[in-house]
Amino acid sequence: MKAIQFHKYGKPEVLKVVDIPIPSIKKGHVLVQIKAAGVNFADTARRYGQYLEKTPLPYIPGAEVSGVITEASPDVTDFMVGDRVVALTNHGGYAEYISIHESQLVPIPDQVDFNEAAAILGQGVSAYHILKTSGQMKQGESVLVHAAAGGVGTLAVQLAKIMGAGKVIATASNFEKLELASSLGADTVINYTEEDWHKQVLSNTDGKGVDIVLEMVGGDIFKNSLKCLSINGRLVIYGRAGGQVTEFDPAILMQRNVSVVGFWLVHILKETKLYKESVKELLSYIGQRKLKLIIGKTMQLEDAEKAHQLIEGRKTIGKLVLNP
């Protein structure tokens, strides 16, 4: 089968198309013919060797896959050959086939296609649990979503509304992205490249600030986001796209009883029931067309290098999907 693999850390050009054997299945596993694989910013961190956990070499990236089961171990009871399934895996998604344990699988509803199923996984589950599990969002609370035109951002804006947010403020870097966030339900949109963006957030909340901030850049964005929090507000960090190590005085948190919470999807995946319930709920929202997926681009598996270049250059809107 064809797969995308890297043998050393580095820029997108380290991604190579390779021919390797189709994986054999072990006890409790199924073989899935991959129809769609999501591309994430985390995949680029893996490629640079800068992910939160060690990335072994050689490595096939890709954690979001959807496809059809072509073979199943005799002890697999909940799935069978021919089933349409979706799964979050640790790696191996940039390929034509993957072996997956049945505990990771979720069936795809008839109303949802393969691209949609793969596109909702990492970023959809992240947005869901950043708001609900880490952010502890309550009905009527206000939410600030940074990078609102990105993969997590486009979903977080909508999910916050579905979960009953009183006000959603979205930030992005240009008019087109702000228009997209507005079309997805954001009540207020702000260009975060403007120096006074955080003052605009306060102005739009009558000086009170927001209850929850979704932050994934670091640096000055993080520091100014703290200023946007209301009393008892929560800032959830789910990435460090800016690449900066950010220092701040923890005493700042005491001034308004605010919290800074870290989110890493890996820990959600370890709680199988929590993970599966959220995926089923997200797929249901898509099937009912309550949740709009922004799939900015679909590309062939062999175009993985180009896909990573687009993500790193911040030239994407919504989700990038590879089709083996």
Side-chain angles (χ1 to χ4, degrees), residues 64-132:
E64 306 164 305
V65 296
S66 64
V68 178
I69 296 175
T70 59
E71 186 181 349
S73 171
D75 62 317
V76 172
T77 56
D78 293 335
F79 297 91
M80 62 180 65
V81 171
D83 283 352
R84 301 167 71 244
V85 293
V86 66
L88 267 169
T89 71
N90 192 39
H91 61 90
Y94 291 13
E96 292 180 316
Y97 289 88
I98 188 171
S99 174
I100 305 175
H101 193 276
E102 65 172 329
S103 65
Q104 296 172 269
L105 301 171
V106 177
I108 301 175
D110 292 340
Q111 304 88 344
V112 179
D113 66 34
F114 289 116
N115 284 343
E116 290 174 324
I120 195 61
L121 276 179
Q123 287 150 332
V125 174
S126 292
Y128 182 98
H129 287 289
I130 288 167
L131 289 165
K132 193 169 186 177

Side-chain angles (χ1 to χ4, degrees), residues 115-278:
N115 284 343
E116 290 174 324
I120 195 61
L121 276 179
Q123 287 150 332
V125 174
S126 292
Y128 182 98
H129 287 289
I130 288 167
L131 289 165
K132 193 169 186 177
T133 306
S134 296
Q136 296 287 300
M137 196 191 108
K138 303 177 188 71
Q139 189 90 10
E141 288 193 318
S142 54
V143 180
L144 171 61
V145 180
H146 285 305
V152 172
T154 53
L155 297 170
V157 167
Q158 297 175 80
L159 286 171
K161 280 295 190 179
I162 291 171
M163 292 176 183
K167 173 173 264 190
V168 176
I169 299 175
T171 75
S173 60
N174 60 47
F175 177 78
E176 181 187 9
K177 292 180 178 181
L178 293 171
E179 284 285 290
L180 173 60
S182 183
S183 74
L184 295 174
D187 300 292
T188 301
V189 293
I190 295 170
N191 189 325
Y192 68 78
T193 66
E194 296 174 4
E195 283 189 21
D196 69 341
W197 68 263
H198 59 288
K199 294 179 182 177
Q200 294 180 52
V201 172
L202 293 172
S203 175
N204 278 278
T205 55
D206 298 323
K208 295 177 182 177
V210 295
D211 297 296
I212 301 171
V213 177
L214 279 63
E215 207 287 297
M216 46 75 74
V217 179
D220 288 340
I221 296 291
F222 167 78
K223 290 178 181 178
N224 285 325
S225 292
L226 283 176
K227 298 174 185 176
C228 296
L229 285 174
S230 65
I231 294 172
N232 297 318
R234 289 87 69 199
L235 185 151
V236 185
I237 299 173
Y238 67 97
R240 199 178 73 183
Q244 303 174 46
V245 175
T246 307
E247 296 182 0
F248 76 103
D249 182 357
I252 294 171
L253 307 180
M254 298 161 56
Q255 294 171 0
R256 293 189 311 286
N257 282 10
V258 301
S259 306
V260 174
V261 184
F263 174 86
W264 189 20
L265 181 58
V266 165
H267 295 301
I268 297 295
L269 302 185
K270 293 174 183 176
E271 299 186 52
T272 304
K273 186 172 184 290
L274 193 64
Y275 152 65
K276 284 194 167 188
E277 285 178 352
S278 57

